Amino acid sequence: MASFPEFVNEADIATSHLIGELSTPASPFIQKSGRETWTVAFAPDGSYLAWSQGHRVVRLIPWCRCLKRFLLDDNEKNKTNKVLLRQNSSENQKTPGEHTIDCGDIVWGLAFGSSVPEKQSRCVNIGWHRFKFGEDQLLLATGLGNGRIKIWDAYTGKLLLNLMDHTEVVRDLTFAPDGSLILVSASRDKTLRVWDLKDDGNMMKVLKGHPNWVYCCAFSPDSSVLCSVGAGKAVAAAGFV
């Protein structure tokens, strides 16, 4: 039976309430995909919320700035929906900036990664073979409907890598939480693929065994085990020790 950590008061969950709403804009593109909002992700250091807002667009929002605009006045209980406005250009430039990224195809999966273990809650230098980045680097991986995975610099919105090996939709992505920059992707092509972003994004291995689409994947907190689920009530686990 599933349970919550000791620090979570289950009684508080019943009293939770909406603090804000992100509104999907009208489509800037003439194409079939619409306002699908299929995935969101928080940066491990809490700096960003990544939001797949439809029309193949991902919006990177500085989370502290977002929360400030979502804060509710306790005396205004009826005003629970507050629409996020775009950042003011006069705001402190040292804080993370907001970015809107056109990924080129429908976005199914999002994941943040850095070279620092998640428990340390900050990002520092990342050592790459070909790519050399500055301090406080944060990466965003996007899994697309055309089977591609694009890696972005979260602080600038620039495309860094384009990983191409899946033959179907990339449904989910997850980074190992130990800071190794190992990325795992789950796809409708019935496989999971393991990528080493410290080695120029080279694919390390293909994990097979699911008889149908793979929907989701997740690492254990110590990065030693990867679990995945797929169609047909299939669950699989792989060791990474």
Side-chain angles (χ1 to χ4, degrees):
M1 179 177 176
S3 61
F4 292 96
E6 293 182 0
F7 62 85
V8 176
N9 185 345
E10 295 186 35
D12 291 340
I13 297 176
T15 62
S16 62
H17 60 281
L18 179 67
I19 63 169
E21 181 179 355
L22 299 175
S23 180
T24 306
S27 174
F29 310 107
I30 300 175
Q31 60 174 33
K32 292 182 179 180
S33 59
R35 295 187 178 187
E36 66 282 344
T37 301
W38 288 333
T39 183
V40 293
F42 277 103
D45 63 357
S47 59
Y48 273 107
L49 168 70
W51 168 37
S52 170
Q53 64 174 28
H55 317 300
R56 75 190 189 204
V57 168
V58 170
R59 191 170 176 185
L60 280 165
I61 305 168
W63 183 238
C64 61
R65 199 172 299 166
C66 183
L67 275 180
K68 288 180 181 179
R69 291 166 181 166
F70 280 167
L71 288 178
L72 300 177
D73 185 341
D74 292 336
N75 296 322
E76 299 183 36
K77 294 182 180 180
N78 293 327
K79 296 182 179 180
T80 56
N81 294 336
K82 295 190 177 182
V83 178
L84 178 68
L85 302 177
R86 194 166 182 80
Q87 71 179 49
N88 190 314
S89 59
S90 63
E91 290 181 291
N92 190 342
Q93 296 300 313
K94 293 183 180 180
T95 59
E98 183 177 318
H99 304 288
T100 299
I101 299 173
D102 179 1
C103 295
D105 208 300
I106 297 175
V107 181
W108 288 80
L110 292 172
F112 281 99
S114 80
S115 63
V116 174
E118 290 185 6
K119 62 183 180 181
Q120 295 186 22
S121 187
R122 68 185 185 90
C123 301
V124 296
N125 288 349
I126 294 178
W128 292 64
H129 289 196
R130 281 190 301 151
F131 301 99
K132 299 295 182 181
F133 299 126
E135 295 183 358
D136 300 323
Q137 187 68 33
L138 182 66
L139 304 180
L140 175 69
T142 56
L144 307 181
N146 59 8
R148 296 189 179 189
I149 301 166
K150 292 186 177 182
I151 310 298
W152 310 83
D153 181 336
Y155 291 134
T156 65
K158 292 182 179 179
L159 179 64
L160 303 176
L161 289 170
N162 195 355
L163 309 179
M164 298 176 288
D165 204 71
H166 282 296
T167 58
E168 295 287 348
V169 173
V170 178
R171 289 294 305 264
D172 194 27
L173 298 163
T174 185
F175 277 96
D178 61 1
S180 62
L181 287 181
I182 298 299
L183 174 68
V184 176
S185 54
S187 173
R188 284 184 182 176
D189 64 13
K190 307 177 185 179
T191 70
L192 297 105
R193 296 175 191 262
V194 184
W195 313 83
D196 185 357
L197 298 193
K198 284 187 175 179
D199 188 21
D200 301 337
N202 288 330
M203 190 180 66
M204 298 170 57
K205 62 181 68 175
V206 179
L207 302 178
K208 300 180 179 180
H210 280 277
N212 297 297
W213 295 355
V214 189
Y215 288 144
C216 182
C217 55
F219 274 102
S220 61
D222 63 358
S223 302
S224 65
V225 177
L226 174 75
C227 288
S228 58
V229 295
K233 302 181 181 179
V235 180
F240 271 73
V241 178

